[in-house]
Amino acid sequence: DTGVSQNPRHKITKRGQNVTFRCDPISEHNRLYWYRQTLGQGPEFLTYFQNEAQLEKSRLLSDRFSAERPKGSFSTLEIQRTEQGDSAMYLCASSSQGGNSPLHFGNGTRLTVT
Amino acid sequence: KQEVTQIPAALSVPEGENLVLNCSFTDSAIYNLQWFRQDPGKGLTSLLLIQSSQREQTSGRLNASLDKSSGRSTLYIAASQPGDSATYLCAGLIYNQGGKLIFGQGTELSVKP
């Protein structure tokens, strides 16, 4: 079990640029989640996949955000035309199927938009 | 809409004290409740998961309880140590909403040597 891996760990970008983050879940987990966390707050749900199917998207996920999990393994989260309000920690988690499977989180990607 | 609240937002205790962190939720249709630990700049580490049919779970010095009827969960830490200093988050999983966890804002714990 190598854990959930996220890259990059930090990303600094200028407003208006596009950024893409990657998440590699625990290999046997078929569920993958993206959360966003700002300073002093708990994580907020963005979206989740079961295998390659994106089953739910939060209303927080504007049209500038898109997530994919093309082969049911790793996932990418892209933010287009970044805004300063997008600055946050983006967390990925994975779990086995089943409501009582705990989520395993990666260390996150910290995005700073200047 | 499910809301999860944690009180207090911050707590400082001397080493060796037993302490309780509180978590309340508004919707009793909760599938399970999970407690996580988060160190500064890091992701979340799962500590305990209590299923809706359970009343409590224990792991080492940690004990978590769940009372669905009152909408409350507590995390008890026995004999606290400086290494327990971190932010503790509770999160509820709602019925029929896949894997979407609703998080509280966390309690930042500092254990002084």
Side-chain angles (χ1 to χ4, degrees), chain B residues 36 44 59:
Chain B
F36 295 89
L44 283 66
S59 176

Short mmCIF file of all heavy atoms in Angstrom, two decimals, chain B residues 36 44 59:
data_model
loop_
_atom_site.label_atom_id
_atom_site.label_comp_id
_atom_site.label_asym_id
_atom_site.label_seq_id
_atom_site.Cartn_x
_atom_site.Cartn_y
_atom_site.Cartn_z
N PHE B 36 -10.82 12.22 11.49
CA PHE B 36 -9.53 12.32 10.81
C PHE B 36 -8.61 13.22 11.62
O PHE B 36 -9.05 14.09 12.37
CB PHE B 36 -9.70 12.96 9.42
CG PHE B 36 -10.50 12.14 8.45
CD1 PHE B 36 -11.88 12.27 8.38
CD2 PHE B 36 -9.87 11.26 7.58
CE1 PHE B 36 -12.62 11.54 7.47
CE2 PHE B 36 -10.60 10.52 6.66
CZ PHE B 36 -11.98 10.66 6.62
N LEU B 44 -5.23 14.26 5.14
CA LEU B 44 -5.94 13.74 6.31
C LEU B 44 -5.62 12.28 6.53
O LEU B 44 -5.52 11.51 5.57
CB LEU B 44 -7.45 13.88 6.09
CG LEU B 44 -8.08 15.26 6.27
CD1 LEU B 44 -7.62 16.25 5.22
CD2 LEU B 44 -9.60 15.15 6.27
N SER B 59 -9.42 2.80 19.26
CA SER B 59 -8.13 2.47 18.68
C SER B 59 -7.06 3.07 19.58
O SER B 59 -6.89 4.29 19.62
CB SER B 59 -8.00 3.04 17.26
OG SER B 59 -6.71 2.81 16.73
#
